[in-house]
Amino acid sequence: MRYIGLDLHKKLLVVCALDQRGKVLFRETVACRREALVAFAKSKLCKTDQLAVEATTNTWAVADILRPFVAAVTVGNPLQIKAIAQTKVKTDKIDAQVLANLIRCEYLPTVWTPDAATQKLRQLTTLRGGGITDRSRLKSRVQSLLAQLLVVPPVKVVFCQKGLQWLRTVELPAEVRSAIDLYLRLYEAVDQELRKIDDQLKALAYEDGRAKLLMTLPGVAHGVAMSLLAAFGDIGRFKDGDHAASYLGLTPSLRQSAAKRYHGRITKAGCPQTRAMLVQAVQAASDHPGPIGAFFRRLRKRKKYNVAVIATARKLVTIAYLMLKNNEPYRYAKSDVVKNKLTECRRKSQQPTSKRARVSRLSPEASPLNDLYRQHGLPSCQSPGEWSAGERRALERAEVTAFAEEAHKATLKTKPRTRKDSQ
């Protein structure tokens, strides 16, 4: 068996092959193109070879090309590899040999290999995130030009229907007018493409039961739900919600030596786009009358705003993990908000409402929230009668018991009177 390390770059691939004793068998430099990689694999690789490569931009494409020619392709975590094998002399040949030695000694820190569906979802959510960033930059440039001229818009939000109409007709110097018209054309083009991506994500979210589960959380719409699923992949690879939050970089850093221990800022590991979307979700859910909103408001009284937001984002991830693990929607959701989110996604997916049997609203055991979940093909959540004593105590401490029970109370709906009934 041979152990081969690949130091991957944008234009070339540096290869180092070792035997079981660590002796260098061959070194080679290969152009990082599909034809060159296939030719190298056919001429140099064997079915028993073990390949190691660091995770980078084009890692998965190279791995997919070489995987049929070898026993396994292992993708290493570059941050952990750097911590383990950091040297004062660093060259491509040394890096390739280090990777080969790490996999030979079975000491290579690996990353999870996403399946094809997860890779496509990651590409789509990344594309959406990039479009949102570009649109925000265009907004900032327009507002910067207005600020330079001390022009105060008549509306609070410039990029709304009324604000855009004013922006197209306001009198400005010729050069500024030309620049703003250019930015508006670019903004409209990016916004139109983002709407198409959003429609595609909404349809995918409604077809994915996991995404519909996450959309029952306050502040979580199709964008946040699909971004979380793209980042998590297989939820079973996490031991608990804390590990899932750590994977997204929402846990504080730790420096410990002997009796001294220092907790610093969050690690910011994992996908920064998913972390940013979670922060936006928390800001939207900050005034929610349920436990998540109460948790944020309680922290806000004694912590800085950013600290409370990040702590609530971590709480949101741990709750999302439990919902996915137990296949249960959120128990304290506002039914009207969830209905709007799910109905919009169903409309984009062009699927009819689920025709599952519904609980009669006249029954004392009926739950409007569970009735809504069943209409959209979701499992039921635990009703107040099934809540544990510990859960009830937590709700009482947060002073949200009344709201939590109200979401499950059946409301008697009287049949509207017709002309025949009034006669």
Side-chain angles (χ1 to χ4, degrees):
M1 181 181 293
R2 300 184 303 181
Y3 304 93
I4 302 177
L6 310 176
D7 188 39
L8 182 59
H9 299 270
K10 184 177 180 180
K11 296 183 179 180
L12 56 89
L13 180 68
V14 180
V15 183
C16 178
L18 305 178
D19 62 10
Q20 294 183 353
R21 295 185 178 182
K23 180 182 177 181
V24 177
L25 299 176
F26 68 85
R27 299 180 187 271
E28 192 161 340
T29 300
V30 184
C32 197
R33 297 196 304 271
R34 185 173 296 273
E35 299 81 7
L37 291 172
V38 172
F40 161 75
K42 290 181 178 179
S43 61
K44 293 289 186 178
L45 299 183
C46 302
K47 281 291 185 180
T48 58
D49 290 343
Q50 297 279 343
L51 267 63
V53 60
E54 285 185 345
T56 185
T57 304
N58 52 353
T59 295
W60 304 113
V62 173
D64 290 340
I65 294 173
L66 300 180
R67 191 173 285 114
F69 299 93
V70 296
V73 178
T74 306
V75 180
N77 188 324
L79 295 178
Q80 296 182 11
I81 291 174
K82 181 179 179 180
I84 294 172
Q86 188 174 10
T87 61
K88 292 185 177 180
V89 180
K90 184 183 183 302
T91 65
D92 294 341
K93 290 183 178 180
I94 292 176
D95 290 345
Q97 187 170 350
V98 165
L99 287 171
N101 272 312
L102 287 176
I103 193 172
R104 181 178 68 88
C105 300
E106 298 182 356
Y107 203 62
L108 180 69
T110 61
V111 298
W112 177 72
T113 302
D115 53 26
T118 304
Q119 287 189 28
K120 291 181 180 178
L121 185 57
R122 286 182 175 180
Q123 292 173 357
L124 188 59
T125 53
T126 301
L127 182 63
R128 179 180 183 269
I132 292 175
T133 301
D134 293 338
R135 187 176 61 179
S136 299
R137 287 175 178 170
L138 292 170
K139 291 180 179 180
S140 299
R141 290 175 183 176
V142 171
Q143 292 172 343
S144 177
L145 288 175
L146 295 177
Q148 291 175 18
L149 297 176
L150 304 179
V151 177
V152 180
V155 292
K156 185 176 181 180
V157 179
V158 177
F159 286 85
C160 63
Q161 185 175 0
K162 187 176 179 180
L164 288 172
Q165 184 178 0
W166 169 82
L167 199 55
R168 295 189 184 98
T169 58
V170 63
E171 293 185 4
L172 296 169
E175 62 278 5
V176 178
R177 178 78 269 169
S178 177
I180 286 183
D181 289 341
L182 170 62
Y183 292 148
L184 287 178
R185 289 194 298 270
L186 293 173
Y187 169 83
E188 291 171 357
V190 173
D191 188 64
Q192 184 178 3
E193 294 301 324
L194 277 174
R195 292 178 187 274
K196 294 179 182 178
I197 297 175
D198 267 338
D199 291 345
Q200 185 178 355
L201 280 175
K202 288 176 182 178
L204 290 175
Y206 198 80
E207 295 168 1
D208 193 332
R210 301 172 303 163
K212 287 193 289 185
L213 281 178
L214 294 178
M215 288 172 63
T216 62
L217 279 167
V220 176
H222 64 282
V224 182
M226 298 304 280
S227 184
L228 267 177
L229 293 178
F232 283 157
D234 180 14
I235 196 67
R237 64 195 182 101
F238 299 109
K239 182 180 179 180
D240 51 32
D242 290 337
H243 284 75
S246 177
Y247 179 76
L248 294 177
L250 291 170
T251 53
S253 57
L254 174 63
R255 299 288 184 272
Q256 185 267 335
S257 178
K260 296 182 180 180
R261 177 174 297 185
Y262 170 74
H263 291 276
R265 297 182 177 181
I266 59 173
T267 61
K268 294 187 178 180
C271 180
Q273 175 186 311
T274 304
R275 193 164 54 250
M277 298 195 71
L278 283 168
V279 169
Q280 295 179 8
V282 169
Q283 292 171 343
S286 59
D287 59 347
H288 191 269
I292 291 178
F295 178 81
F296 171 82
R297 291 187 293 273
R298 185 172 69 254
L299 280 183
R300 184 67 185 93
K301 293 179 180 179
R302 54 189 178 89
K303 298 285 187 179
K304 294 182 179 180
Y305 179 82
N306 291 343
V307 174
V309 168
I310 294 299
T312 310
R314 179 181 177 180
K315 175 73 70 173
L316 202 63
V317 171
T318 57
I319 295 173
Y321 169 83
L322 290 173
M323 289 168 55
L324 292 173
K325 179 182 177 181
N326 300 327
N327 192 32
E328 181 185 356
Y330 192 55
R331 301 174 186 174
Y332 322 113
K334 296 176 70 174
S335 57
D336 54 342
V337 176
V338 175
K339 180 180 179 181
N340 292 337
K341 290 189 287 187
L342 294 178
T343 302
E344 177 66 18
C345 291
R346 178 182 60 80
R347 188 179 299 113
K348 296 300 180 182
S349 68
Q350 299 180 351
Q351 290 188 14
T353 306
S354 177
K355 295 183 179 180
R356 295 186 179 185
R358 304 179 185 180
V359 178
S360 172
R361 294 291 180 87
L362 298 178
S363 170
E365 293 80 13
S367 169
L369 192 58
N370 280 331
D371 188 53
L372 172 66
Y373 290 160
R374 282 190 291 271
Q375 290 178 36
H376 291 276
L378 288 171
S380 301
C381 63
Q382 288 188 6
S383 58
E386 301 172 296
W387 295 347
S388 65
E391 183 175 357
R392 285 192 169 276
R393 286 195 299 269
L395 293 174
E396 290 174 359
R397 285 196 299 267
E399 299 180 351
V400 295
T401 306
F403 165 79
E405 293 179 344
E406 187 69 25
H408 291 271
K409 286 184 178 178
T411 55
L412 299 179
K413 288 192 174 182
T414 58
K415 184 178 179 181
R417 296 183 62 187
T418 61
R419 182 179 298 179
K420 186 176 181 180
D421 294 333
S422 60
Q423 291 178 350

